[in-house]
Amino acid sequence: MALNLDAVGKTIGPVRKEYSWKDTVLYALGVGAGFSDLEYCYEKDLKVIPSFGITTMYDFMPQLLSTSNVNLAGILHGEQELIFHQPIPPDGEFITEGRITNFYDKGEKKGALVIGQSETFHSNGQKLFTSIGTVFSRLDGGFGGEDVPKEEIKFPNRDPDFVVEAEPLEDQPLIFRLSGDVFQLHVDKEFAKMAGFEKPIMHGLCTHGFACRALIEKLVPGEPEKVRRLVCRFTKPLYPGVRIKTLIWKTEEGRAFWRVVNSENEEVVIDNGIFEYGEIPKETIRFDDRVAIVTGAGAGLGRVYALELAKRGAKVVVNDLGGARDGAGKGSKGPADKVVDEIKALGGQAVANYDSVATAEGGESIVKTALDAFGTVDVVINNAGILRDKSFLKMEPDNWQAVIDVHLNGAYYVTRPAMAVMKEKGFGRILMTTSAAGLYGNFGQTNYTAAKMGLVGLMNTLKLEGQKYNIKVNTIAPVAASRLTEDILPPDFIDKLKPELVAPMALYLVSEQCPVSGNIYNAGLGCYNRAAMVTGCGAVVGDGKEIPTPEQVVVQWKSVADMKGAKEYQSVNEQIGDVLVAFSKPAERATETTAGFTSVSDVFDAMAAAFVADAAAGVDVVFQYNISEEGGGDWFCVVQDGSCQVEAGVHDKPTCTLKMNSADFLDLMNGKLPAMQAYTSGKLKIEGDIMKSQLIEKLFRM
Ligand code: NAI
C-alpha cells in the first residue's frame, strides 16, 4: 500500500471533543502536576496547561493516518508545534479541522514524513490553537518526493539558564493514557517487549507536558495563558520512573530554546524545542488577498458588507442591477459605481458589476468579473433581493416567479460558478441571506418566504458538498433599515436598525476564522442568535411490522408532537439512522420514570396525590381501569371541577376504560414499558373515548 499523495489539502474533520474541568485536571495529573502547581488541579480558579490542547490529536490523528494511507506498522510522532491564539478554557468543546499539508520523502528504507495541520476552535467560537504535527513513517520512503528541509536549532554555546528537574512516576503512563492515548505500548508489558522495549515506555507527549510545565514555571510563572508557541522534536524513548531535566536557554525576551534529557544517561529525549511567550495579541479578522463577491451591494446591507470587507483588505466585486424595489425597470449602473467609488476613496480595491443575479448568464458574468479583475473568488455573499408582497390568493405567477428568481435562483446562478473556483483552490466561504419572515412566516409574503427557506435547503446540502474542500456555507437572517424594509419596520426603529449592526456577523461567517458550516444566524441591532431546524424524539407508532392506524397516531400524539430533547441533525443520514434505532430498540426510548411501584393498589393509592389540578380546568372525565391477574382489580378515577377522586370498583359511565394485566401495568407505571409500545403490542387495550385517555399523562405526574 502506497501513501495517498492525493490526500494533500483534503479537509479532515471537523472532529468534536467535549471536555470538562475534570479532563483538564486529569491531564495535569498525567503530566506530573500536583499540590506544587495546584492551579492546574483544583477546579476553583482552574488554569489549563496549554499543552492539554494536544489531546485533540487523539481523535484527529486516526483520521489523518487513514487519509494518508501510511503503513501503521512503522509510525512515530516526529515533531509537534502548537501555536496558541487564545488561552484554553477549563471546559467546553474542541472543534478541530485540518488537512495534510505535505508528504516528504527521506528515501527508500529511510522513511517518509506526513505533515498535518489543524485548527482547533472552542465551542464559544474562539480559535484556540493551531497544531502542526509530523508523523515519521519508517516504511513509506522512496516514493520519489522531495526531502524535508532541515531546520535545526542552534542552541547557545553556554550552560542553560534554567534547569528544571522532575521525576515522572513509575505509574505515570497509566494516568496519562486516560487523556486519550491508550496505545498498548505504554501499558502492556508483553506488547512493549514485542516492540523491543524492556517494559512499557512513557508517552512522548507526557514528557512534552512535563516540559511545558517547566517552561511556564521559569518563564511565565503562574501565567499559562501567556504561552504562545511550543515546538519540539521527539528523539528517544524514556522509561517511566526515570528522572528528567528540562534545559532552558532564554535567547531573547519572549523566546527560549529547550530540550529534555534523561538524567541517568544524559540522552536527549526531546530536542529542538522552541518556546515563545508573552501577551497573545488580539486576533483581527482580515480579508487580505481574498476576493469577495457581494450581490445587491449597491445599497442597504450589501453596500455595508462590501465596504466593511474592503476596509479589512478584501478585493470586492460590487454587483448591483440598480433596479426598482420590486425588480422592475431596466436598472442602472449608478448604485454599484457609487459603492465602488466609496471603497476606492477609502483606499480599497473594488470593481463594479451590473448583471442581474436572476439569470444563469448573469451569475456566470458576475464570477467572471471577479476572475478578470482579481484572478479568483474566495467569498460570495448572496444578498440581492426584491419584494413583491401580496396575499397568497392574489399572488399571480409573475410576482411569484420574479421573487424566486432573484433570491433563490440568483443564489444558485452565482454560487455554482463561484464554487467551482473554490473547490479548485480548497477554500471558500458562502453566505446565503434568508429572513425571519421565511424562518417563522409573514403574512403576504408567500413568494419571498418560500424563496428564503429554499436558500436554507440550498445551504443544507452545499455545506455537505463543500466540506472536504474547506468551503463553508452559512445563512444570515438580517434585520436592518433599507429600501426593502422602510414600510415594514416600525418607524421609531428605523434609525436604530443600521445595516452596520448586521455586518459584523456577516463578516465573521465569511472569514477564514469562521468555525461553522450549515448554520443560520439572526442578526440585527447588534443582537445575534442562532436559529435551527430541530427534531423531536417522537414515538414509534405500531410495532414496525403492521401499518399503524390513524387512531394509534391519536393515542401517541403527545409523544409524536413532544419537542423535549429535540435534536439537530447534520444530514438526512443521521436522521434516518435515528429512525432505524427507534425501530430496533423501542424500549430504550421509554420515559424514564422509575416510580418503583411494587403493587397495583400502590399505584391507585398514589394517584390522587399525583393529580395536577392546574391541568384539569374544564375537564370532566372518568377513567376506568380493569387490571387483570394477580394483584389486579377494578379502579376508577373521576376528574371533575378541578378535583380528582380515585375509588376501587366499576363506574357506570366511564369515559374510557383501560385494560391491562397487572405485570404489564406495573411495568408501564415504573417506566419500563412505553405507553405506545404497550398499546401497539396489545398489552394495553383502550375502550371508549381514546382521545380523552391521552389526558391521563397530562393530569397525573406519576
Ligand atoms: P435593498 O433593497 O436595500 O438592497 C437590495 C439590493 O439588491 C438593491 O440595491 C437592488 O438593486 C439589488 N438587486 C435587486 N435585484 C437584483 C438582481 N436581480 N441582481 C442584482 N442586484 C439586485 O435591501 P436590503 O434590505 O439591503 O436587503 C438585502 C438582503 O437582505 C435581501 O436579500 C433581503 O431579502 C434580505 N433581508 C433584509 C432584511 C432587512 O431587514 N433589511 C430582513 C430580512 C432579509
Side-chain angles (χ1 to χ4, degrees), residues 295-302 305 319-325 327 335 354-358 366 382-387 406-407 433-437 448 452 476-485 489:
T295 69
L301 287 156
Y305 298 157
N319 156 263
D320 206 296
L321 174 76
R325 183 181 188 252
Y354 320 105
D355 288 297
S356 169
V357 297
I366 293 166
N382 289 299
N383 167 79
I386 59 167
L387 279 183
V406 173
H407 292 274
T433 305
T434 187
S435 157
Y448 181 70
K452 287 303 195 192
I476 194 162
V479 183
S482 74
R483 182 176 69 166
L484 281 193
T485 51
L489 293 169

Side-chain angles (χ1 to χ4, degrees), residues 386-602:
I386 59 167
L387 279 183
R388 293 195 181 191
D389 295 355
K390 285 190 173 189
S391 62
F392 186 56
L393 295 184
K394 294 180 185 150
M395 180 68 71
E396 311 84 350
D398 59 332
N399 287 328
W400 175 270
Q401 194 60 49
V403 167
I404 300 280
D405 278 346
V406 173
H407 292 274
L408 180 57
N409 295 344
Y412 160 72
Y413 292 135
V414 178
T415 304
R416 189 161 168 256
M419 190 151 159
V421 180
M422 294 172 177
K423 181 181 166 189
E424 276 308 305
K425 67 189 298 182
F427 178 88
R429 297 287 182 266
I430 297 164
L431 190 63
M432 305 294 176
T433 305
T434 187
S435 157
L439 296 175
Y440 313 115
N442 198 22
F443 194 94
Q445 291 197 313
T446 47
N447 50 358
Y448 181 70
T449 53
K452 287 303 195 192
M453 281 311 272
L455 288 161
V456 172
L458 178 58
M459 168 194 75
N460 283 341
T461 292
L462 273 191
K463 91 176 168 213
L464 299 175
E465 295 190 6
Q467 190 178 340
K468 70 176 178 181
Y469 306 107
N470 191 18
I471 300 172
K472 292 185 174 166
V473 193
N474 289 289
T475 297
I476 194 162
V479 183
S482 74
R483 182 176 69 166
L484 281 193
T485 51
E486 60 196 0
D487 59 353
I488 298 175
L489 293 169
D492 294 352
F493 264 93
I494 293 280
D495 285 350
K496 297 191 180 108
L497 284 161
K498 295 186 191 337
E500 285 79 359
L501 292 169
V502 174
M505 190 68 197
L507 259 68
Y508 184 47
L509 291 175
V510 296
S511 71
E512 212 170 302
Q513 286 88 340
C514 173
V516 292
S517 191
N519 287 355
I520 309 164
Y521 297 90
N522 287 299
L525 278 169
C527 170
Y528 312 127
N529 60 26
R530 186 155 94 86
M533 186 76 71
V534 293
T535 306
C537 299
V540 175
V541 178
D543 58 7
K545 292 181 194 125
E546 289 188 20
I547 294 170
T549 61
E551 288 77 11
Q552 285 174 304
V553 175
V554 171
V555 171
Q556 282 309 113
W557 187 248
K558 190 166 182 288
S559 310
V560 168
D562 192 4
M563 294 304 284
K564 203 168 135 211
K567 195 169 163 183
E568 199 184 339
Y569 291 106
Q570 295 304 314
S571 72
V572 66
N573 292 343
E574 273 185 24
Q575 191 264 341
I576 289 175
D578 265 9
V579 172
L580 296 177
V581 168
F583 270 100
S584 56
K585 295 181 191 165
E588 279 182 15
R589 295 166 66 83
T591 325
E592 295 289 327
T593 50
T594 46
F597 294 113
T598 51
S599 77
V600 173
S601 58
D602 279 351

